[in-house]
Amino acid sequence: MRTILSYRIAGIDFAINIEKEAIEQNLLNHYNSFRIEGTKEFDFVLDIVNRQERMEGEQILGGDKIRSQIYRVQNGYYKEALGRERRRVLYAIYLNSNYSYGRLKINQHTRTILNEAIMTMFFAAMAKFHVIKIHASSVIKDGKAILFHAPCGTGKSTHSQQWMKAFPDAELLNDDGPVVRVWPDGRVIAYGSPWSGKTPCYKNLSAPVAAFVRINRAKENKIHRLRLVEAYASLLPSCTGVKWNDDIRNYTHETMQKVISTVPFYQLDCLPNEDAARVCAAEVLKLHE
């Protein structure tokens, strides 16, 4: 038995046509807070099917060390995601040329594989709406979102925790994958998402972005604002999503340019302590004791 589930993330509405069995296995329970009711036009629809014929075309991504094989096919794109040993196809997905429709065949129903496939569809569809997903940890304080980004293991999550210790009214928005949208009126808004890494933080919340802060471990706590070119170089590695299509890459860079021209970017050299959060907040939110 099949059912249609509808969701909204960062103002993007989409539907998933899925077997009831997957729902009963709670494979999508981290999407629950993003559910919407009723039928309407969707920005994209993803059909999860039992059969998916392999599609041939021009290969645009692949190789011995790459676990995704992507082909440009008639009227769209076809992707096969391979297992670690590259001997088995975990899932195959077809996306039409404007990313309004996807057809997905999963060979092993697990939460991780299903989630990765849905993200492929969402990342492809979101770019034209000037939406980017950021590898960052984000908190909300005083109605504003602050996003902390850095290479893995630097301490993004630790710094968010220090904010919540230093400021009891601060709240974790997302610990790994907040979504940022630039609206036509110029507003830059951060949104929670179903993708939060190891921390189960799947909140359907949003707030205007006050600042992006790059975390850098140091022996003292100090903060300085980045120039535009530094901000761009800082943000680029933290933008995640589909990068194998010229149109999507162009949309992504256009969105990044809008973000860095609107929102201040900082570098915080810091220790993993509450004082680092206070130093950061004093600058990005102009808080003074």
Side-chain angles (χ1 to χ4, degrees):
M1 182 177 178
R2 303 185 67 80
T3 188
I4 296 177
L5 303 177
S6 306
Y7 301 93
R8 177 177 295 142
I9 300 173
I12 296 177
D13 293 353
F14 61 97
I16 298 177
N17 185 356
I18 191 171
E19 292 284 350
K20 187 177 180 180
E21 177 183 340
I23 302 172
E24 293 172 345
Q25 294 174 7
N26 294 319
L27 299 183
L28 290 174
N29 59 351
H30 52 306
Y31 286 76
N32 287 346
S33 62
F34 302 91
R35 286 281 304 273
I36 56 176
E37 300 298 332
T39 58
K40 61 183 294 295
E41 291 186 2
F42 295 101
D43 295 309
F44 71 85
V45 175
L46 178 62
D47 275 338
I48 300 178
V49 298
N50 294 323
R51 289 183 58 83
Q52 173 87 286
E53 296 296 331
R54 193 176 192 281
M55 304 179 73
E56 301 291 342
E58 175 193 0
Q59 187 172 33
I60 58 177
L61 181 68
D64 292 340
K65 297 182 180 180
I66 299 177
R67 290 169 54 199
S68 292
Q69 311 292 322
I70 300 175
Y71 303 87
R72 183 180 289 109
V73 298
Q74 186 175 7
N75 299 321
Y77 298 88
Y78 175 76
K79 172 184 176 181
E80 289 183 337
L82 307 179
R84 292 188 180 277
E85 302 300 324
R86 299 177 51 81
R87 298 172 182 171
R88 184 161 56 100
V89 176
L90 302 179
Y91 69 85
I93 185 170
Y94 162 77
L95 310 177
N96 69 351
S97 57
N98 67 356
Y99 310 111
S100 62
Y101 174 76
R103 188 172 60 246
L104 169 67
K105 170 66 170 67
I106 300 176
N107 292 327
Q108 181 180 352
H109 278 73
T110 69
R111 173 170 166 165
T112 298
I113 294 174
L114 179 57
N115 195 49
E116 181 184 331
I118 293 172
M119 284 195 292
T120 295
M121 183 81 233
F122 184 84
F123 292 163
M126 73 180 184
K128 62 185 176 184
F129 296 101
H130 291 116
V131 176
I132 52 177
K133 178 177 171 290
I134 309 296
H135 180 215
S137 182
S138 179
V139 299
I140 295 177
K141 176 169 170 53
D142 298 342
K144 301 291 183 64
I146 306 94
L147 288 86
F148 309 114
H149 60 115
C152 291
T154 304
K156 300 181 292 295
S157 298
T158 298
H159 188 68
S160 288
Q161 293 298 320
Q162 300 305 327
W163 270 69
M164 289 181 286
K165 290 179 182 178
F167 307 108
D169 62 330
E171 179 179 6
L172 186 66
L173 172 64
N174 187 280
D175 205 34
D176 188 72
V179 175
V180 172
R181 182 168 188 172
V182 181
W183 289 90
D185 61 5
R187 291 176 300 141
V188 180
I189 309 295
Y191 296 84
S193 80
W195 313 300
S196 190
K198 297 178 181 178
T199 303
C201 183
Y202 314 119
K203 298 177 182 177
N204 190 3
L205 298 176
S206 64
V209 178
F212 283 76
V213 180
R214 181 173 65 191
I215 302 297
N216 182 53
R217 284 288 171 233
K219 296 183 179 180
E220 61 178 323
N221 297 320
K222 59 182 181 179
I223 188 170
H224 69 275
R225 187 163 177 176
L226 300 177
R227 297 174 298 164
L228 289 179
V229 65
E230 293 174 320
Y232 194 91
S234 171
L235 181 60
L236 182 59
S238 298
C239 287
T240 60
V242 172
K243 298 178 181 178
W244 37 262
N245 176 278
D246 287 341
D247 290 337
I248 292 177
R249 283 195 295 268
N250 290 337
Y251 279 126
T252 299
H253 288 297
E254 183 179 313
T255 302
M256 289 175 55
Q257 290 170 355
K258 291 176 181 289
V259 170
I260 65 174
S261 64
T262 305
V263 177
F265 278 68
Y266 298 87
Q267 175 166 310
L268 177 67
D269 301 312
C270 64
L271 294 160
N273 58 23
E274 291 181 45
D275 183 59
R278 296 189 182 95
V279 168
C280 185
E283 177 61 30
V284 304
L285 294 177
K286 305 302 178 184
L287 299 181
H288 300 283
E289 296 181 352

